[in-house]
Amino acid sequence: MIVASIGNLNFDIYLKVSELPGPDENVEALDLYTGGGGSAANFAVAIAKMGLSARFIGAVGEDPLGEISLRELRAEGVDVSFVKRVRGVRSGVVVVLVHPDGVKRMVSYRGANLGLTPADLTVDKFAGVKHIHLATGRTELILKAKEIAREIGASISVDGGTALARKGLEIVRAAVEGVDVVFMNHVEAQLVANAGDHKSAVEKLARELKVGELVVTLGPIGAVAFKNGRLLHVDAFKVNAVDTTGAGDCFAAAYITMYLRGRDLYERLLFANAAAAIKVTRPSARASPRYDEVVAFLES
Ligand code: ADP
């Protein structure tokens, strides 16, 4: 079963620092590590680990970092044969300053990612695809992908992140109308709904958005799903979280896996919470678990 993931691919550079630089100041980093990033790419890796066929649809520049990013995806079993090469632009890079206060400071260069346009989303790239996932706030890509999904009879999910949430309710409503599954974290849900707490945000969005299912993740409290007038909350698992980067992408991939297997709402939430719980115990945005690891976790 092929699942296509549309959106960003980044090369993440983490610099561990003991203090943050002030203007014109040079601070020495204590450590440097790199890793693959970009929500759509992370989702594709998580899907491959779930045992489904993952196809990543995005764009890189003609530079070494883009090549490394693609190689990393290939090594995880993701099909990158439809990734666009954009000339004269560098591939997406994110620099993350990791400070002992636990708060990450990030600078993103979207670069070649922006080179992916609706015109690039052509039916031939989606041959055999059963489900399309968009991890992007770019509404023009979401609208085009909805057309493709309709044409090929695939289901579709959207995780627009903060980029989409910032656009406000009117734009979000138009972008996700008719989408099968919409994912948001609670901060994004509150932002879109202009609500002070996640409960009223979910209630408002459940009324306002015309989607198959609305899934809102609540970090260590778990996640809620709204479908056909029914709201279901499933608690997160108690684990020792060391790195929550990519938890949402891992959650979405596990949820979609259960969705495609025809499992009910409770089983989807339970399985996705379990997958994301395993992920947060491990460093790296792409440290999502394999399908059988999640099954073993649930049986333990
Ligand atoms: P995002 O990573 O998109 O901000 P969340 O922070 O809501 O999303 O996390 C997504 C999911 O990851 C949660 O719904 C939950 O299943 C899991 N999760 C996140 N943080 C923890 C935690 N501290 N303990 C257990 N599970 C967690």
Side-chain angles (χ1 to χ4, degrees):
M1 198 181 298
I2 306 174
V3 175
S5 178
I6 303 172
N8 290 353
L9 167 62
N10 293 322
F11 185 84
D12 292 351
I13 300 167
Y14 294 83
L15 292 168
K16 200 170 158 190
V17 291
S18 57
E19 54 181 318
L20 296 168
D24 282 332
E25 220 174 63
N26 181 12
V27 163
E28 222 169 283
L30 304 173
D31 200 2
L32 177 148
Y33 42 99
T34 62
S39 245
N42 296 345
F43 177 92
V45 169
I47 280 289
K49 289 189 177 168
M50 285 286 124
L52 301 177
S53 298
R55 182 178 300 170
F56 173 70
I57 311 270
V60 291
E62 289 182 318
D63 57 350
L65 286 186
E67 285 313 313
I68 295 170
S69 297
L70 289 180
R71 206 183 309 138
E72 284 175 351
L73 281 186
R74 262 187 231 110
E76 297 282 8
V78 176
D79 174 9
V80 294
S81 47
F82 295 102
V83 172
K84 183 180 181 181
R85 304 287 203 289
V86 188
R87 285 197 169 199
V89 190
R90 290 195 179 266
S91 301
V93 171
V94 178
V95 175
V96 188
L97 294 186
V98 185
H99 187 261
D101 67 8
V103 182
K104 287 181 184 149
R105 273 86 176 170
M106 289 180 266
V107 183
S108 307
Y109 174 69
R110 288 200 281 170
N113 285 305
L114 290 175
L116 185 76
T117 67
D120 296 315
L121 304 181
T122 49
V123 170
D124 54 303
K125 298 191 175 90
F126 295 87
V129 168
K130 190 87 199 301
H131 184 87
I132 301 176
H133 178 78
L134 290 116
T136 175
R138 295 177 60 200
T139 52
E140 70 275 24
L141 295 180
I142 300 173
L143 295 176
K144 184 66 189 291
K146 286 202 291 189
E147 279 174 28
I148 304 248
R150 221 172 295 135
E151 204 169 328
I152 63 172
S155 48
I156 182 164
S157 51
V158 173
D159 186 347
T162 324
L164 181 63
R166 280 206 194 108
K167 294 183 175 164
L169 183 57
E170 289 312 308
I171 290 176
V172 172
R173 187 174 24 213
V176 302
E177 185 178 354
V179 164
D180 297 296
V181 187
V182 171
F183 295 100
M184 287 181 200
N185 68 24
H186 61 109
V187 179
E188 293 150 7
Q190 283 173 231
L191 193 61
V192 181
N194 195 16
D197 61 276
H198 77 258
K199 274 208 177 101
S200 38
V202 173
E203 278 163 19
K204 182 167 177 186
L205 294 178
R207 279 196 311 271
E208 296 278 345
L209 304 182
K210 291 181 178 53
V211 300
E213 293 169 27
L214 170 68
V215 183
V216 177
T217 60
L218 308 169
I221 328 176
V224 292
F226 182 84
K227 186 186 182 180
N228 295 336
R230 180 174 165 231
L231 189 68
L232 186 65
H233 172 235
V234 176
D235 281 330
F237 290 88
K238 292 210 173 1
V239 290
N240 182 21
V242 297
D243 183 5
T244 58
T245 324
D249 304 322
C250 168
F251 180 99
Y255 189 96
I256 290 302
T257 302
M258 289 292 113
Y259 172 89
L260 293 172
R261 284 179 165 231
R263 302 297 179 86
D264 67 24
L265 215 52
Y266 173 75
E267 284 179 297
R268 293 176 202 174
L269 286 170
L270 183 74
F271 190 84
N273 272 332
I278 298 173
K279 150 60 215 127
V280 301
T281 62
R282 303 169 175 171
S284 152
R286 297 210 181 141
S288 51
R290 291 191 319 274
Y291 183 85
D292 50 351
E293 285 180 276
V294 185
V295 172
F297 178 89
L298 284 169
E299 282 169 358
S300 67

